[in-house]
Structure formats: structure tokens, C-alpha cells
């Protein structure tokens, strides 16, 4: 039996595996980079070993260091999680060669599915339906096509190409991204199916020859070919579900599969299914399967690794409906630009369980972060998974959207508003979903907070700040803030907000009530009465309706969560320090990263939207585009250079 398990991973998945280990009485070992030294998963492990460095290549991709950590801590088994070395056949073989139990499929199965072109050929012989596929770009005459990384998944290295002109650059870019994420830049190309649904079957095998399907998940809502909303069971005709189960089990049996795996398919609008890939690991979205089957998939992984037969012999009937969203540190409105910084508050209301089963309708939170966690640039942007289970799909979507809308997520930009709008959209409710959903629905990128509500949010922030100052005043703390015997000028507070600077003017009367208020810029202001103001909560009466605002201040940053949405404001100093102005046309780095390629030269004429250079951060490439027609005046960076937030990447003099 396994007594001490090392998890060769980080963040949320490490915490998830540890949770099951605690329930089973298995001791745990964490390995961590320097950047992760204070992360929650490290604190929760029974033993932890430092991997010197920060980047994946220095730490979580080092087979030698991980095996040494297992030896030093006396671990007798290794769980790879997902990502990093999870689908590395060499790692699986090395774990077995070291005399340790490998909590995953055999190295032979990983190798067979790791070469995606060879996997397609093998599974086609087993009767699994395939899309047309090419390895030579010169053979392609019909578009659109999809460029894919051969060695990994998660959407990395994927590029949709709609004409021959963009194919060469898409292949080159996909190779760079795949090499950085998986250490292998091999790519292939397959037919791209418009408006297809991404569906997948969870399979499980044991060492006694059993391979079963545990239901179908729908993962069609994606950004950059990466899933952000997943659900089980997928809403499908029974006949399609049966075909998917049969094809997935055939794929598993073709490679003598053992452990947890996922066979992914594309469901075309005509009902045809096509194999995409087989992931030889536990998937990020496994909780929706757990909640609808009542099974702990990590427990099953450990039992199978110990040689036990699967405790289930056939596909269990689905119980209710589960929906999961991936909460990421990114700004969807800015091309999903990753966000970094300190997560000052991370609170999702109504969570009934973390990393485990639910006893009834409710929310599960699988999180890699807590209050105070630092989100850096070295790893994936996912912060947590929030999962709702309910008897029906509509109930699960409503509960999940409501919890996300009320969550307090302070300090780092997230995709929360996008997720809420997707879950509340009529199209999602009607299951009118496919992999192009976000491209067709730009309305879901709008923030939850309407622009005309920002003045009230700024007023609440100003009143809470004033209340905090009065509460800490050494004398006359009972007087209203800024009160004078003869009123002359209102109190003035200036903020940097989501749409630029906003100035709040207000005056309190003798009783502490709101005598007058206004904002600039801003249109007509509603009649507002102050019900109460505390440092962390302000209640306003707006045209006869009470509205409560939760306020959290960290230094000059003020985070306000209200009934219509949330906003982050930065209080501006009354007398700002002089600053150096950037040259006109300067393009600055939105976050720290590495310049992977410079596409232009100084003096070159460019058009608006032209690609100037490519920045890599959080394991993804981010294009830097010309904002207008003009001439490249400066290029202070070079390929391979490291840049910090705010560094000037290029200067384009507009025509």
C-alpha cells in the first residue's frame, strides 16, 4: 500500500491530491520552486522539498530533482498532477525504475498517446473516427485548419489558420509556444470544424483488464483553445453519448490503459464525432465528473496504482448536473492579458466543500490561492476552479453565477465578470454552445458594473475612507469628516478608476448625513441618502432603494463590491509627485515577461494592428501591435530580453 505520496506539481492540483491523501491516511510530500515557497500547497504537505529556481525548466520539469526529493523524504509513490511532467513517459519510467509506485498510466501508454500523430494512426485502426491531418504545410489547399502541438494539450501551441498567407507564421509561433510549454516544438495540422462542440469522455482502467467510461463532459466554452467552462453530463442525445463512450473505451483498450484518462472529441453540427486527443492524466475539469458520479477520482487513481480492481464495473448513471468555471488572473477585455500581483482578498460565498464531495446542492472550491497569495509570471494564470452541483443544469448555472458575482477578488484582475455573463446568457441556457461561442458573443466581455453605477461606487469608497479616518482620529472622532461650522467647500477625493480618473465631491451635515454630492466626469446624479458608513461597509439610499457596498482598502487601493458589480479604485494623492512623461507613441509592457521575437526594425513603416514584437508571460505568447499607422522610432528591446511591467517595448511615431 502507498504510505507516503509525492506530488510532482503545484498549486490547486497538489492541494486536491493532498485532500484525498489526508482522508485515506496517506502522508504527503510537496516539491516547490522558490516562487512557491509560501504557497498554500507547500504549507499543507507533511513534507516539502525546495527545487532551487523559479521557472518550470529549473524546477517542476527536473526529473532528477523530483526523484531526489522522493528519495530524501522516503516517498514510496509519485502523483504527477496535470501539466509539467504528467504526460512524460520518460518520467513515468524513471519513477518505476527508482522502485516507486507511479500514480498514472503505464509509460508505454503515455508514449503511445504522447505522439499525437502516431496516436491518431493507432486509434484509427481501433475504429475511432478521425479528422483529416497533415504534417506538411505544403500539402494543405483547403482552409480553415488548426495547428496543434504534438507533445501537449491545454490549448498551448494551437492556432486557427483561415488562409494560406497566415500558415507559416502560425506554425512558427505554435512551435515556439509548444517548445516553451512542453520542451517539444513538434506540431501537426488538422481540419478545423466551425461551430463544433468539444466533448470528452472520462475513462478509467485497472491492472485487471477493465476499462470503463465515467460519462461525458462538455467543455465547449473556450478562450484561446483553453477551456474555461466545463459541465457534466454533457447535454447530448443518448445515441451520441453511447457512440462517445464506445469510442473512448476502444481507445483505452487499444493501449491497455490503466488509471485515469480522458478521450477528447469534436462533435460536429451534423452529429459526427472526431477524435482530438487522449490525455493520459487527471483532467483539470475532473470535479464535475466526481460530483455527478459520487466517485473520488484521486482515490480511484491510488487504488489502481496499488493493484486493486476498480470498485465500479460499468458507467454509473449521472446524478444531477455540475458546472465548473476556471477563475483566472487575466483581463479578457485586453486579449486575456495575464495579471500579476498580490491577491489581497479571495473569498467566494456559499462554498460548502473544498476539493471534496457535496452532500447536496451547493458549491465546491478547488483553489490554489488564499488571501495574500502572490500571482507571478512563471506559471499558468488559473487561480481556482469553482464548481456548482444541483439537480438541474439551470439551477447549477444560476447558483454558480450568483456566487461568482458576489465573490470578493481583490488585487488582481480576473475573468470573473466574463464567466458570470456566459453563465447568465440565454444561449448558454439553451445549450447553444460551441468552441466559437466567445467570438460570436462580444457582449459577454462587458464588465458587470454598468458605467453609470461607477459614481455611486466611488462615493461609497470615499465615504468608507472618511469613516476609517474618523475612527482612527485621536481627537473629535465623533464629528463628521471635513465638518465645518460654516460650510464652504466640499470634501474632494480623486481616484484612478477602470475608465480613467474620477473625482468625488461630497459634504456631510451636522448629523453625519449626506448633504450634497457629485462626481466628475459624470452625468446627473441620483438622490442619495447616507444610511450608514463604516470603514468596510457603506449603505446608501438611492432614490428610495437601499444599496449596500462592501469596501476593502489596502494602502491607496480601494476595492468596492456592490449589488451591480465590483470595481477597483486607486486613490490619487492631492499633490502628486512629478513624473517622467513617456514619449508619444510609447508601447509599454503590461506585465513582466520575455521578448521572444521582434518583427520590425527602427525606421520601418507600420500600419495599425501590425505585429511589432511578441512577449511571453505565464506560459503564453502575447502580441504587441501597432496602435496606429506610423513609423517605428525606437526599439529598446531585443529578442530574448527580460522586461518588467511598464518597460518601453517600442515607440511608434504616428503619421
Amino acid at each position: 500500500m502507498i504510505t507516503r505520496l509525492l506530488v510532482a506539481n503545484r498549486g490547486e492540483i497538489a492541494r486536491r491530491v493532498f485532500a484525498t491523501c489526508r482522508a485515506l491516511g496517506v502522508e504527503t510530500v510537496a516539491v516547490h520552486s522558490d516562487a512557491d515557497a509560501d504557497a498554500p500547497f507547500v504549507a499543507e504537505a507533511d513534507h516539502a522539498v525546495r527545487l532551487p529556481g523559479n521557472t518550470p525548466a529549473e524546477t517542476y520539469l527536473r526529473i532528477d530533482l523530483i526523484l531526489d526529493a522522493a528519495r530524501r523524504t522516503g516517498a514510496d509513490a509519485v502523483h504527477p498532477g496535470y501539466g509539467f511532467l504528467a504526460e512524460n513517459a520518460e518520467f513515468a519510467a524513471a519513477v518505476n525504475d527508482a522502485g516507486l509506485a507511479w500514480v498514472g498510466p503505464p509509460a508505454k501508454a503515455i508514449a503511445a498517446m504522447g505522439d499525437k500523430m502516431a496516436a491518431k494512426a493507432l486509434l484509427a485502426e481501433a475504429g475511432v473516427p478521425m479528422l483529416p491531418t497533415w504534417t506538411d504545410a505544403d500539402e494543405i489547399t483547403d482552409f480553415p485548419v488548426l495547428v496543434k502541438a504534438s507533445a501537449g494539450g491545454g490549448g498551448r501551441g494551437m492556432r486557427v489558420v483561415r488562409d494560406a498567407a497566415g500558415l507559416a507564421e502560425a506554425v512558427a509561433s505554435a512551435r515556439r509556444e509548444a517548445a516553451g510549454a512542453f520542451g517539444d516544438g513538434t506540431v501537426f495540422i488538422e481540419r478545423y470544424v466551425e461551430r463544433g462542440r468539444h466533448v470528452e469522455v472520462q475513462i478509467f482502467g485497472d491492472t485487471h483488464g477493465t476499462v470503463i467510461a465515467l460519462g461525458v463532459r462538455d467543455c465547449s466554452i473556450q478562450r484561446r483553445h483553453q477551456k474555461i467552462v466545463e459541465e457534466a453530463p454533457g447535454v447530448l442525445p443518448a445515441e451520441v453519448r453511447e457512440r462517445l463512450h464506445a469510442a473512448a473505451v476502444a481507445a483505452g483498450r487499444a493501449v491497455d490503459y490503466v488509471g485515469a484518462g480522458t478521450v477528447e472529441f469534436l462533435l460536429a453540427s451534423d452529429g459526427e464525432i472526431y477524435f482530438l486527443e487522449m490525455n493520459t492524466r487527471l483532467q483539470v475539469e475532473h470535479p464535475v465528473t466526481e460530483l455527478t458520479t459520487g466517485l473520488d477520482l484521486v482515490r480511484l487513481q491510488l487504488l489502481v496504482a496499488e493493484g486493486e480492481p476498480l470498485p465500479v464495473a460499468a458507467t454509473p448513471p449521472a446524478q444531477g448536473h455540475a458546472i465548473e468555471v476556471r477563475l483566472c488572473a487575466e483581463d479578457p477585455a485586453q486579449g486575456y492579458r495575464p495579471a500579476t500581483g498580490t491577491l489581497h482578498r479571495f473569498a467566494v460565498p456559499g462554498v460548502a466543500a473544498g476539493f471534496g464531495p457535496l452532500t447536496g446542492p451547493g458549491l465546491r472550491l478547488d483553489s490554489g490561492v488564499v488571501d495574500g497569495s502572490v500571482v507571478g509570471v512563471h506559471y499558468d494564470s488559473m487561480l481556482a476552479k469553482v464548481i456548482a452541483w444541483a439537480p438541474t443544469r439551470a439551477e447549477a448555472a444560476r447558483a454558480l453565477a450568483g456566487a461568482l458575482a458576489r465573490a470578493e477578488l481583490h488585487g488582481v484582475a480576473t475573468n470573473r465578470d466574463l464567466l458570470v455573463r456566459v453563465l447568465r446568457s440565454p444561449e448558454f441556457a439553451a445549450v447553444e454552445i460551441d468552441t466559437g461561442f466567445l467570438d460570436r458573443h462580444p457582449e459577454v466581455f462587458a464588465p458587470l458594473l454598468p458605467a453609470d453605477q461607477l459614481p455611486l461606487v466611488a462615493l461609497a469608497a470615499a465615504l468608507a475612507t472618511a469613516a476609517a479616518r474618523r475612527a482612527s482620529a485621536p481627537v473629535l472622532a465623533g464629528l463628521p469628516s471635513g465638518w465645518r461650522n460654516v460650510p464652504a467647500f466640499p470634501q474632494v477625493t480623486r481616484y484612478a478608476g477602470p475608465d480613467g480618473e474620477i473625482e468625488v465631491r461630497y459634504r456631510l451635515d451636522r448629523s453625519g448625513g449626506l448633504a450634497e454630492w457629485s462626481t466628475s466626469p459624470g452625468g446627473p446624479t441620483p438622490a442619495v441618502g447616507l444610511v450608514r458608513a463604516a470603514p468596510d461597509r457603506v449603505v446608501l439610499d438611492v432614490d428610495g432603494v437601499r444599496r449596500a457596498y462592501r469596501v476593502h482598502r489596502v494602502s491607496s487601493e480601494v476595492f468596492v463590491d456592490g449589488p451591480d458589480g465590483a470595481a477597483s479604485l486607486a486613490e490619487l494623492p492631492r499633490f502628486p509627485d512629478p513624473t517622467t512623461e513617456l514619449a508619444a507613441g510609447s508601447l509599454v509592457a503590461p506585465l513582466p515577461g520575455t521578448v521572444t521575437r521582434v518583427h520590425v526594425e527602427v525606421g520601418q513603416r507600420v500600419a495599425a494592428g501590425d505585429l511589432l514584437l511578441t512577449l511571453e508571460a505565464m506560459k503564453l505568447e502575447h502580441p504587441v501591435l501597432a496602435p496606429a499607422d506610423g513609423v517605428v522610432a525606437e526599439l529598446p528591446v531585443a529578442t530574448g530580453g527580460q522586461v518588467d511591467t511598464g518597460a518601453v517595448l517600442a515607440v511608434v511615431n504616428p503619421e
Side-chain angles (χ1 to χ4, degrees):
M1 294 183 68
I2 294 171
T3 60
R4 184 173 295 174
L5 178 72
L6 182 148
V7 176
N9 219 293
R10 63 178 297 279
E12 167 268 328
I13 185 56
R15 297 183 78 192
R16 166 67 190 92
V17 176
F18 291 165
T20 290
C21 287
R22 285 193 296 271
L24 297 179
V26 176
E27 293 184 45
T28 56
V29 179
V31 290
H32 68 87
S33 66
D34 291 335
D36 281 337
D38 298 320
F41 79 94
V42 178
E44 291 173 1
D46 296 311
H47 311 271
V49 177
R50 172 181 176 247
L51 306 177
N54 285 315
T55 68
E58 295 172 320
T59 55
Y60 300 108
L61 293 176
R62 287 284 300 273
I63 294 175
D64 57 335
L65 296 183
I66 292 171
L67 291 180
D68 181 63
R71 178 189 59 78
R72 290 162 59 191
T73 57
D76 53 10
V78 173
H79 191 300
Y82 50 70
F84 296 132
L85 294 170
E87 294 178 280
N88 187 304
E90 179 187 351
F91 182 45
V95 169
N96 290 146
D97 291 345
L100 307 174
W102 168 251
V103 185
K108 182 179 178 181
I110 297 175
M113 293 298 101
D115 183 338
K116 290 185 169 51
M117 287 301 298
K120 283 174 171 285
L122 174 65
L123 298 187
E125 291 183 6
V128 180
M130 298 287 165
L131 284 165
T133 305
W134 303 269
T135 55
D136 184 353
D138 293 334
E139 297 177 357
I140 300 172
T141 58
D142 191 18
F143 292 85
V145 296
L146 183 65
V147 182
K148 300 178 69 173
S150 181
R156 294 187 178 88
M158 280 192 187
R159 303 288 189 276
V160 175
V161 184
R162 299 192 176 277
D163 54 57
L167 186 57
E169 174 55 32
V171 169
S173 177
R175 283 175 175 159
R176 289 193 301 271
E177 189 169 297
F182 313 115
D184 184 344
T186 305
V187 300
F188 64 95
I189 305 164
E190 66 185 18
R191 175 70 46 76
Y192 180 66
V193 177
E194 302 278 8
R195 304 198 69 162
R197 288 171 65 181
H198 185 124
V199 294
E200 60 188 33
V201 180
Q202 175 73 64
I203 64 168
F204 232 103
D206 63 22
T207 55
H208 302 270
T210 300
V211 178
I212 63 171
L214 296 180
V216 179
R217 299 186 288 251
D218 193 318
C219 309
S220 297
I221 307 293
Q222 302 180 3
R223 60 96 166 97
R224 286 185 167 182
H225 311 291
Q226 293 183 340
K227 309 160 190 173
I228 57 172
V229 180
E230 300 115 337
E231 58 182 305
V235 181
L236 301 167
E239 178 268 335
V240 173
R241 188 184 312 277
E242 290 171 4
R243 281 194 283 131
L244 288 166
H245 282 180
V249 170
R253 287 177 174 159
V255 292
D256 299 321
Y257 200 79
V258 175
T262 298
V263 188
E264 303 194 348
F265 297 90
L266 188 67
L267 174 62
S269 57
D270 60 4
E272 292 299 317
I273 62 172
Y274 301 100
F275 173 82
L276 290 176
E277 62 185 10
M278 182 174 177
N279 290 305
T280 52
R281 54 174 167 81
L282 197 66
Q283 290 280 88
V284 176
E285 57 271 22
H286 75 273
V288 295
T289 297
E290 292 187 320
L291 294 179
T292 52
T293 62
L295 299 170
D296 181 334
L297 298 190
V298 174
R299 173 178 173 268
L300 295 188
Q301 284 186 297
L302 296 177
L303 289 177
V304 167
E306 292 173 335
E308 296 292 327
L310 281 171
V312 288
T315 305
Q319 305 165 17
H321 203 94
I323 305 176
E324 169 184 299
V325 295
R326 303 190 191 189
L327 195 58
C328 299
E330 64 186 21
D331 186 347
Q334 299 297 322
Y336 306 103
R337 184 175 70 198
T340 59
T342 299
L343 198 59
H344 300 299
R345 181 170 293 171
F346 183 81
V348 180
V351 172
F355 306 102
L358 296 171
T359 57
L363 296 176
R364 166 175 161 176
L365 176 67
D366 286 18
S367 169
V369 297
V370 294
D371 289 359
S373 291
V374 176
V375 181
V377 299
H378 301 293
Y379 313 113
D380 187 90
S381 64
M382 190 177 79
L383 302 173
K385 304 177 310 199
V386 190
I387 314 102
W389 181 90
T392 68
R393 183 177 186 268
E395 291 176 279
R398 181 175 63 187
L400 184 53
L404 289 169
R406 296 191 302 275
E408 297 182 15
L409 310 171
H410 301 167
V412 177
T414 73
N415 63 339
R416 178 259 305 275
D417 289 11
L418 170 71
L419 297 172
V420 172
R421 288 200 179 277
V422 169
L423 293 169
R424 288 176 173 171
S425 68
E427 294 80 9
F428 184 82
V431 201
E432 295 174 359
I433 55 177
D434 57 69
T435 56
F437 181 91
L438 295 181
D439 295 331
R440 294 196 314 278
H441 294 285
E443 68 276 7
V444 301
F445 290 85
L448 288 179
L449 183 71
D452 61 1
Q453 295 300 306
L454 187 59
L456 287 172
V457 167
L459 175 63
L463 293 172
T465 299
R469 288 169 179 160
R470 294 313 301 160
S472 62
V475 295
L476 301 176
L479 289 180
S481 177
W483 184 81
R484 299 288 186 275
N485 256 338
V486 180
F489 299 102
Q491 293 283 88
V492 178
T493 308
R494 295 166 50 247
Y495 295 105
D499 299 317
E501 185 175 321
I502 181 169
E503 184 176 271
V504 181
R505 302 182 184 88
Y506 69 93
R507 184 172 60 83
L508 303 181
D509 59 25
R510 290 173 179 267
S511 64
L514 188 62
E516 61 178 272
W517 79 287
S518 64
T519 62
S520 176
T525 53
V528 175
L530 176 57
V531 179
R532 67 180 62 90
D536 60 351
R537 181 178 172 85
V538 172
V539 181
L540 303 176
D541 184 304
V542 183
D543 289 332
V545 178
R546 287 194 176 187
R547 304 168 67 88
Y549 297 86
R550 305 184 304 277
V551 183
H552 176 210
R553 186 182 179 96
V554 180
S555 186
S556 62
E557 290 186 278
V558 186
F559 306 98
V560 184
D561 296 278
D564 295 308
S568 172
L569 306 171
E571 185 173 353
L572 299 173
R574 294 180 64 188
F575 306 104
D577 294 331
T579 58
T580 302
E581 290 190 4
L582 292 174
S586 294
L587 302 175
V588 300
L591 73 169
T594 302
V595 178
T596 56
R597 192 175 180 189
V598 178
H599 300 266
V600 294
E601 299 176 347
V602 172
Q604 182 174 333
R605 188 174 299 278
V606 295
D610 282 356
L611 181 61
L612 304 181
L613 53 91
T614 306
L615 187 68
E616 181 182 298
M618 286 185 164
K619 301 168 74 173
L620 294 174
E621 285 192 337
H622 308 279
V624 178
L625 308 178
D629 296 351
V631 176
V632 179
E634 296 180 36
L635 275 174
V637 298
T639 299
Q642 301 287 322
V643 296
D644 292 324
T645 302
V648 176
L649 302 174
V651 177
V652 176
N653 287 340
E655 292 184 334

